[in-house]
Amino acid sequence: MESNPTSFSVVKTYHDFKQITKAGLAVSVVFSSLAGYLLGVDDFFAFSWKTLFMLAIGGYCMVGASNAFNQVIEKDLDALMDRTKNRPVASGRMKPNVALLIASLLTVIGLLILYFINPKTALFGAISIFLYTSLYTPLKTSTPLSVFVGAFPGAIPFMLGWVAATNQFGIEAGTLFLIQFFWQFPHFWAIGWFLYEDYEKAGFFMLPTGKRDAATAKQIILYTIWLIIASLLPVLGRTGQLYISIYAGVLVLILGLWMLLYAVKLYKLRTAKAARTLMLVSVSYITLLQIIYIIDKFLR
């Protein structure tokens, strides 16, 4: 039975779209935004399904646009690395102008959707795209400080949900931002560690010292500790309407110590395997933390 050329091209286009928007990453970012939204609504019955849907679609467009712009800018560098050489633009399957058009359309659509939620949400979405595309991306080949700069747009999604729910940016949204901000460092330094050789091919500076050494591992431990402290701030009752019970605080502390354990293991072993494990643990950490925060809110 012969394959249908049209259906094949549709499937191929779909897969290229997923790759250029980094669908897996985009979905995880959208989850953070939805978690922030649920924490921001007054109670379980107060949230709007319409707003939740708009936040999900608008958020995906924002992340997808950032990733598409990034792949246009870094197409030549992506072609040098094993993990990125098969991306649509880097491999030549998609022309840069087409990718740029997709990125631009996603930006406009995403901003409009977020604006209809409220203007502040759209503003933070726009700031995220600008920082990621105009500052973080070009700095990756210049300085390890790129991770610090990239942590700002990376930390916006969690607090974006709160702003979408409340139309306010205060200590609550700031705390959510702080948690995801500190989380960026051990997460991305772990990635930079186990993908060190691949990043080196493109001249990316992802580790704080530029090397897989004790100093880098110590900084990973330090920022993991800061992450734990930031994650426990809501239990103190000093973060406005954002607070968690002592029971949730204990669970969050256990989660933090679990992640810290693997950060210490990386310091001791200094292997790519240990770094990869820490990266996976960090993903589980931020997801489980958000789930704990949400469950605690609606069970209190």
Side-chain angles (χ1 to χ4, degrees):
M1 182 178 177
E2 295 184 0
S3 60
N4 186 324
T6 303
S7 63
F8 175 78
S9 65
V10 170
V11 171
K12 182 180 177 181
T13 301
Y14 169 71
H15 285 298
D16 281 348
F17 180 80
K18 284 176 61 179
Q19 281 192 297
I20 201 168
T21 58
K22 293 187 183 178
L25 172 63
V27 169
S28 68
V29 171
V30 167
F31 179 83
S32 290
S33 295
L34 299 184
Y37 176 81
L38 291 174
L39 291 172
V41 295
D42 290 335
D43 55 58
F44 185 76
F45 299 100
F47 76 87
S48 163
W49 284 107
K50 178 182 177 182
T51 303
L52 203 67
F53 178 75
M54 292 170 66
L55 181 62
I57 300 301
Y60 188 98
C61 288
M62 294 291 94
V63 182
S66 297
N67 290 326
F69 281 127
N70 173 268
Q71 290 181 47
V72 172
I73 296 169
E74 294 182 348
K75 60 182 177 63
D76 295 330
L77 299 178
D78 280 348
L80 301 174
M81 298 187 290
D82 292 334
R83 74 181 188 91
T84 57
K85 63 185 180 183
N86 290 320
R87 285 176 175 173
V89 183
S91 66
R93 293 195 310 275
M94 182 182 292
K95 293 182 178 181
N97 287 344
V98 174
L100 193 61
L101 177 61
I102 292 172
S104 301
L105 288 174
L106 287 174
T107 300
V108 173
I109 294 170
L111 285 177
L112 283 174
I113 292 174
L114 294 182
Y115 184 84
F116 283 123
I117 295 175
N118 61 60
K120 288 189 180 72
T121 303
L123 174 62
F124 283 116
I127 290 172
S128 177
I129 292 179
F130 173 78
L131 291 176
Y132 188 90
T133 304
S134 302
L135 295 180
Y136 167 67
T137 295
L139 285 175
K140 286 165 66 179
T141 55
S142 303
T143 172
L145 287 174
S146 62
V147 174
F148 173 77
V149 174
F152 284 90
I156 286 177
F158 201 12
M159 57 82 85
L160 190 72
W162 184 282
V163 175
T166 64
N167 197 22
Q168 297 293 329
F169 179 83
I171 190 170
E172 301 90 350
T175 302
L176 296 180
F177 176 89
L178 193 67
I179 292 169
Q180 203 155 27
F181 178 79
F182 283 124
W183 174 82
Q184 305 283 319
F185 294 94
H187 176 71
F188 282 104
W189 284 337
I191 293 174
W193 190 298
F194 75 79
L195 290 176
Y196 182 82
E197 288 85 0
D198 217 21
Y199 279 130
E200 194 174 36
K201 294 175 186 176
F204 286 153
F205 300 92
M206 302 303 291
L207 298 179
T209 66
K211 302 176 183 178
R212 293 181 290 189
D213 56 13
T216 287
K218 285 179 181 177
Q219 290 205 47
I220 289 174
I221 291 173
L222 177 63
Y223 277 86
T224 301
I225 292 171
W226 281 115
L227 168 63
I228 294 170
I229 293 172
S231 300
L232 290 171
L233 288 177
V235 83
L236 301 177
R238 302 287 184 178
T239 51
Q241 297 301 310
L242 175 69
Y243 62 94
I244 57 174
S245 69
I246 187 65
Y247 305 106
V250 170
L251 292 177
V252 169
L253 177 60
I254 292 172
L255 268 182
L257 294 176
W258 176 52
M259 183 166 164
L260 182 61
L261 171 65
Y262 283 94
V264 172
K265 281 188 176 181
L266 176 59
Y267 174 76
K268 291 180 177 179
L269 301 175
R270 297 177 205 171
T271 62
K273 182 179 179 180
R276 183 184 291 271
T277 302
L278 175 60
M279 182 274 291
L280 294 173
V281 169
S282 71
V283 173
S284 298
Y285 174 89
I286 197 67
T287 303
L288 290 173
L289 175 138
Q290 290 165 350
I291 291 172
I292 290 170
Y293 272 33
I294 293 168
I295 291 176
D296 182 69
K297 172 187 174 71
F298 292 112
L299 287 183
R300 283 198 307 267

